[in-house]
Amino acid sequence: MQVLMFGWEFPPHISGGLGTACQGITTGLAANDVNVLFVVPKAYGNEPAEKIKLVSASDIAIPAPGRQTQKVQEALTFFEVNCPVVPYLSPEAFAAHSEPEHGIATTVEGTDIPVMRYAFRGGYGKDLMKEVWQYALTASTIAEQHNFDIIHAHDWLSFPAGIMAREASGKPLVVHVHATEFDRSGDNINMQVYETERQGMLKADQVIAVSELTRQTIIHRYHIPAAKVTTIHNAVAPAAKAAAPAGERMFPEKTVSFIGRVTYQKGPAFFIETAAKILRQDKGFRFIMAGSGDLLHAMIAHAARLRISSHFHFTGFLKGAALDRVLSESDVYVMPSVSEPFGISPLEAVRAGVPVIVSRQSGVQEVLQYALKVDGWDTDAMANAIYALARYKGLSSMLRRESAREVAALRWETQGALIRTLYNDVIASFIS
């Protein structure tokens, strides 16, 4: 089976769990004899893509504005009508509207046919929405250049690309929802992002949700038929190698870690307020917040106001060996998210031998029975749970042992088999 897959990031160039999940999914599919052509806006050349073929959209020459096929024009018009922020334009005007200053105009070799390449910056900068639409334009050309059985698009950033590829190729589309705008923004949603998500789910032939929590959001807040949405949980890759014997610890105190984007969704303020409650009673704790995000500076100031900065450490975004070091130092891992569609980092903590506390407002709590679970905003319950895991060895040891067994059974190869089965069902229904 051949799959054309669209994503926005791929390790090691990631900003969070989306890229990690994409790598895991492609690995799991490869183990089930599924060949994946994975497209990103910008490839860097050092991605570990041994089991898949990675394509950089920046390298793809597409027809110059005004030369799109009829199917692509129809798809463009669909997005223009349904997206409330993008103006109502003709396909030609829409393409011109999307053209960046850094687009490179050329001609097809040996002809005078005009084409252009978009020099994607990738990432999540101020031109994000523009690049999402440019990526969609490029996707139609990629779909016309390759043979495949099905299209798979990850998160709203790639949904327009998936729809354009579907229209250009006539092949079925699966969209994979790793987070919704309600998770990221609460009730203060960006309507342009919401509408992009909704149109992607409506046009898809099947929707994959990373948890039952997310599935219910898709059904009730995006009004997608329940039969069209399937839950397939994320997994975690096995440790690359056995952890090195622990050396001298950085801190003599019990260490509690938070690993994730420092944004509203992840509940960083609750973690800091919990730390303050514990430290008022017991100075034998250190707290680490590993991550970056729009609330980072506000959280540093919040810790200072609570007078806990001497026991609180902000590391910025970590990955690789630096992240492994934080986990090796941790006695407790906490994920206090307000709304977390899944959450791979608790699985990584369990894999590293750290007992975890997770929010009841998370998808990962559906697959982790041996974790302490609290409401993300309940700082009293969170403080009690942290103290219990840090001070009572029997409880900590039991959770480490049993949660490790759970995580060992949650493998990408197994989830890849579930996704392949879903592909087969979608293709069979599409043909019939």
Side-chain angles (χ1 to χ4, degrees):
M1 182 182 294
Q2 306 286 334
V3 179
L4 176 60
M5 189 172 288
F6 293 95
W8 198 255
E9 59 181 42
F10 200 87
H13 305 282
I14 62 175
S15 67
L18 177 59
T20 301
C22 287
Q23 183 181 25
I25 289 165
T26 57
T27 301
L29 288 171
N32 286 276
D33 298 320
V34 177
N35 297 315
V36 178
L37 178 69
F38 195 97
V39 185
V40 289
K42 180 179 180 180
Y44 294 82
N46 63 340
E47 292 84 357
E50 300 88 358
K51 297 183 182 297
I52 65 169
K53 181 179 179 181
L54 196 73
V55 172
S56 176
S58 296
D59 297 333
I60 304 300
I62 70 171
R67 300 186 65 88
Q68 290 84 11
T69 66
Q70 180 63 33
K71 284 188 175 181
V72 170
Q73 289 178 344
E74 291 171 359
L76 284 169
T77 303
F78 174 84
F79 273 111
E80 291 155 18
V81 170
N82 286 285
C83 187
V85 178
V86 175
Y88 182 77
L89 304 172
S90 68
E92 293 80 5
F94 177 83
H97 170 75
S98 297
E99 183 176 347
E101 295 84 358
H102 54 288
I104 302 172
T106 58
T107 58
V108 175
E109 186 176 352
T111 73
D112 59 356
I113 299 174
V115 295
M116 68 182 307
R117 290 181 176 86
Y118 290 120
F120 292 97
R121 296 185 177 93
Y124 302 87
K126 62 183 178 64
D127 293 328
L128 176 62
M129 190 58 70
K130 179 188 286 187
E131 292 206 351
V132 166
W133 301 115
Q134 293 163 0
Y135 190 40
L137 289 169
T138 306
S140 63
T141 297
I142 294 172
E144 291 168 349
Q145 292 176 346
H146 294 88
N147 293 318
F148 51 90
D149 302 298
I150 195 166
I151 305 158
H152 189 152
H154 292 278
D155 250 18
W156 73 272
L157 297 155
S158 300
F159 286 0
I163 290 179
M164 296 287 276
R166 186 185 191 279
E167 295 298 325
S169 67
K171 296 297 176 65
L173 169 65
V174 172
V175 300
H176 206 135
V177 181
H178 297 263
T180 70
E181 181 61 7
F182 293 98
D183 299 308
R184 291 180 291 266
S185 304
D187 290 328
N188 300 313
I189 64 170
N190 180 319
M191 284 303 300
Q192 186 173 16
V193 174
Y194 171 84
E195 189 66 12
T196 303
E197 291 176 328
R198 193 174 73 89
Q199 297 303 333
M201 297 177 207
L202 286 171
K203 291 290 283 184
D205 298 280
Q206 187 71 15
V207 179
I208 297 176
V210 295
S211 64
E212 185 60 25
L213 178 73
T214 301
R215 181 174 180 270
Q216 293 303 318
T217 299
I218 291 169
I219 293 168
H220 297 294
R221 294 207 164 191
Y222 291 84
H223 310 292
I224 305 301
K228 191 176 178 178
V229 191
T230 301
T231 297
I232 300 179
H233 293 109
N234 285 330
V236 66
K241 59 182 179 180
E248 184 177 349
R249 287 173 58 105
M250 288 188 290
F251 310 115
E253 300 93 342
K254 295 292 185 180
T255 302
V256 184
S257 61
F258 167 112
I259 299 169
R261 287 179 289 111
V262 188
T263 63
Y264 161 82
Q265 176 189 354
K266 303 294 183 178
F270 300 128
F271 182 69
I272 291 173
E273 289 158 14
T274 298
K277 288 183 176 182
I278 292 174
L279 290 169
R280 279 197 289 269
Q281 303 298 323
D282 187 339
K283 292 295 193 291
F285 284 82
R286 291 269 177 173
F287 294 85
I288 297 175
M289 182 169 284
S292 59
D294 60 298
L295 293 182
L296 178 58
H297 294 299
M299 293 303 101
I300 293 172
H302 192 33
R305 282 193 299 271
L306 294 173
R307 299 183 180 274
I308 60 172
S309 297
S310 61
H311 283 74
F312 208 105
H313 304 269
F314 295 89
T315 69
F317 178 73
L318 298 179
K319 60 183 178 179
L323 180 57
D324 292 341
R325 180 65 191 276
V326 168
L327 287 173
S328 71
E329 291 283 332
S330 298
D331 297 286
V332 181
Y333 168 88
V334 182
M335 188 183 74
S337 300
V338 174
S339 181
E340 185 70 49
F342 189 77
I344 290 178
S345 57
L347 302 183
E348 294 173 333
V350 169
R351 187 183 62 186
V354 183
V356 303
I357 301 167
V358 298
S359 163
R360 289 195 179 98
Q361 292 71 45
S362 68
V364 74
Q365 60 94 22
E366 298 171 14
V367 299
L368 268 185
Q369 300 307 310
Y370 288 93
L372 297 188
K373 302 171 186 181
V374 299
D375 291 323
W377 54 82
D378 191 340
T379 55
D380 288 332
M382 200 180 304
N384 289 335
I386 290 171
Y387 194 87
L389 284 179
R391 295 302 187 196
Y392 300 113
K393 291 184 179 180
L395 176 61
S396 177
S397 296
M398 185 271 288
L399 289 187
R400 290 173 196 263
R401 181 181 66 252
E402 299 301 329
S403 62
R405 291 175 181 171
E406 290 182 304
V407 169
L410 195 61
R411 303 181 64 85
W412 283 117
E413 291 83 356
T414 305
Q415 308 312 94
L418 296 175
I419 294 173
R420 175 169 181 147
T421 298
L422 181 142
Y423 287 163
N424 288 333
D425 292 343
V426 170
I427 291 170
S429 297
F430 193 79
I431 294 173
S432 62

